[in-house]
Amino acid sequence: MYPCVTETEVCDLEKRLGVAIPKVYKDFLMNVSNGFDIMNCTLALHGCRTSYDRSDLDSWYLLGTYEYDGSKLYLNTLDDKIYYCDRYDATPLKAWDSLSAMLTSEIERIFGLFDADGHCIDEDVPTTPVVI
């Protein structure tokens, strides 16, 4: 859930959209929440976005994904750490101090999920570093 917005912010949004926001939803945005995401956007109610600044992403370099669920790995060029995140949310769920540390750790972990013939030992066990 996101913090409520002011009446001024709702009016500005209505002007940008060129349409009035229905009263019941306007009341929700101002008194309950400025939208929310449930279960990683399985259900999302959209509110008033106050910033489109994405400059914080300039230092992120997407370098890999996990086939199991589409989750991602990215390198933050500001600290050279590798971060693991969900498919639709870049909030770090796991971090490694370096690319080398991530590769060593993940190769060892993933090899343990497969038998000598390369078959998955247990199809019900996620192949991701963190169960989401």
Side-chain angles (χ1 to χ4, degrees):
M1 295 184 71
Y2 304 108
C4 295
V5 294
T6 65
E7 187 171 0
T8 301
E9 289 171 314
V10 172
C11 289
D12 289 345
L13 177 61
E14 289 175 322
K15 287 177 189 172
R16 285 195 315 265
L17 295 174
V19 64
I21 296 172
K23 182 179 179 344
V24 66
Y25 198 58
K26 189 184 301 190
D27 288 344
F28 175 83
L29 294 172
M30 294 187 321
N31 300 305
V32 179
S33 174
N34 182 25
F36 61 79
D37 298 322
I38 296 174
M39 301 303 287
N40 193 34
C41 297
T42 297
L43 170 62
L45 292 184
H46 305 290
C48 299
R49 188 163 179 180
T50 56
S51 172
Y52 290 89
D53 179 19
R54 297 177 61 86
S55 60
D56 60 332
L57 301 180
D58 291 344
S59 63
W60 296 358
Y61 180 80
L62 178 66
L63 57 88
T65 60
Y66 286 84
E67 180 183 31
Y68 181 80
D69 64 357
S71 52
K72 303 190 180 333
L73 290 169
Y74 63 91
L75 168 74
N76 185 333
T77 59
L78 298 177
D79 61 13
D80 286 336
K81 289 185 179 183
I82 305 297
Y83 294 91
Y84 169 72
C85 65
D86 190 22
R87 182 178 189 169
Y88 299 111
D89 183 347
T91 303
L93 300 173
K94 184 170 178 72
W96 296 268
D97 289 332
S98 67
L99 178 61
S100 176
M102 183 279 295
L103 289 171
T104 301
S105 169
E106 283 302 273
I107 289 170
E108 288 177 6
R109 185 186 65 77
I110 290 170
F111 273 33
L113 299 174
F114 293 84
D115 65 21
D117 295 322
H119 297 105
C120 189
I121 295 170
D122 185 347
E123 296 286 336
D124 294 327
V125 173
T127 57
T128 56
V130 174
V131 177
I132 301 174

